[in-house]
Amino acid sequence: MGCNPVLEIRQIKSGKKDYLDILLLADEQESMIDRYLDRGDMFVAEVDGAAVAVCVVALECEGVAELKNLAVLPEFRNKGYGRMMVDFVAAHYAGCCHALVVGTGDSPATVPFYERCGFSYSHRVPGFFTDNYDHPIIDGGVLLTDMLYFRKPLRR
């Protein structure tokens, strides 16, 4: 990659499983990814033609888009790519949705990231991780049990 990397975000219509290795960074159980991958819109961020981040967004109810998966390769974290994906998705869905929501575990890295991106706490789904995953999910040294939902209003 050169001194001035070129970032391109594009939608993936077919071959979504080609990015499974990156998707698994944010959702480590493939059967859970399978629940939303086909029905969601997938976007990939590429730097100089190489994928560095992916996200999947699904329309869950009238006017609400849910960010189901957002993953950035470890060597590209803390460089603004995750934030760029959130901003891109928010702009993309602003014309048809009034809110973007995301569910995440109570991770010391993930929650502050979404708050910095303009999301506010919405609600909690008790036992989500323990009820839906076949193994304990640990993120940032924290055993995840509940799903925390955050909401970001979108301007049309």
Side-chain angles (χ1 to χ4, degrees):
M1 291 182 208
C3 295
N4 295 312
V6 176
L7 175 73
E8 178 188 5
I9 299 176
R10 62 187 179 88
Q11 188 168 358
I12 302 300
K13 300 270 190 186
S14 62
K16 293 177 182 181
K17 282 276 189 138
D18 294 346
Y19 299 91
L20 183 62
D21 58 332
I22 303 175
L23 291 166
L24 286 166
L25 294 172
D27 193 344
E28 61 187 64
Q29 188 168 305
E30 187 175 351
S31 64
M32 293 298 286
I33 293 170
D34 289 340
R35 290 184 180 186
Y36 55 78
L37 189 60
D38 286 341
R39 65 184 177 84
D41 294 332
M42 182 178 197
F43 301 91
V44 62
E46 297 174 327
V47 173
D48 294 336
V52 300
V54 297
C55 71
V56 179
V57 179
L59 297 177
E60 291 299 321
C61 63
E62 180 102 14
V64 178
E66 183 173 341
L67 184 56
K68 293 291 200 177
N69 188 310
L70 173 61
V72 178
L73 290 175
E75 59 270 30
F76 290 92
R77 291 181 185 158
N78 300 310
K79 297 181 189 290
Y81 295 113
R83 175 66 178 254
M84 285 182 236
M85 290 294 277
V86 169
D87 290 346
F88 176 87
V89 166
H92 182 83
Y93 289 95
C96 65
C97 295
H98 59 82
L100 181 62
V101 297
V102 63
T104 188
D106 196 5
S107 163
T110 309
V111 170
F113 167 76
Y114 286 116
E115 291 173 336
R116 286 191 307 272
C117 288
F119 288 83
S120 301
Y121 175 79
S122 172
H123 63 283
R124 173 184 302 261
V125 178
F128 179 87
F129 290 99
T130 51
D131 293 345
N132 290 285
Y133 286 81
D134 63 11
H135 63 283
I137 304 294
I138 299 172
D139 189 4
V142 175
L143 175 64
L144 305 183
T145 56
D146 300 345
M147 176 80 82
L148 305 180
Y149 274 90
F150 292 82
R151 182 180 194 90
K152 175 183 179 79
L154 300 179
R155 292 198 169 91
R156 293 182 186 202

